[in-house]
Amino acid sequence: MPVEEKVFFEDQPGRKFDRCLANGIVKGGGGFVVGAVISLLFLRRRVWPILLGTGFGIGVAYKTCEKDLESFK
């Protein structure tokens, strides 16, 4: 059985920020991969689909992080 860990109020913003950072890395990397695949298969190895995919991924992660951290205002 999992034991619930007691989380202090002071630690909550740090944990949410860590989650935001991990989310940004995962979604930015996913966007990079999708952009690279599209670039390789359809657009003769151009750079802009990779940058666009990465930007979309980081943008989605930023919006999610902004929503999560808004509860501390």
Side-chain angles (χ1 to χ4, degrees):
M1 247 193 268
V3 178
E4 286 199 29
E5 184 179 329
K6 188 173 183 179
V7 178
F8 294 107
F9 181 74
E10 297 86 16
D11 294 336
Q12 288 178 358
R15 286 179 181 236
K16 288 194 179 208
F17 183 72
D18 289 344
R19 192 175 324 134
C20 287
L21 187 62
N23 197 14
I25 291 170
V26 169
K27 289 185 179 178
F32 179 85
V33 169
V34 169
V37 168
I38 289 173
S39 176
L40 289 173
L41 294 179
F42 301 115
L43 299 171
R44 293 180 287 153
R45 298 184 182 165
R46 307 237 185 227
V47 177
W48 66 267
I50 298 170
L51 296 175
L52 188 67
T54 305
F56 279 148
I58 291 173
V60 169
Y62 177 78
K63 195 65 173 172
T64 305
C65 183
E66 188 177 38
K67 188 185 83 166
D68 285 345
L69 292 177
E70 205 169 86
S71 64
F72 289 105
K73 287 186 179 179

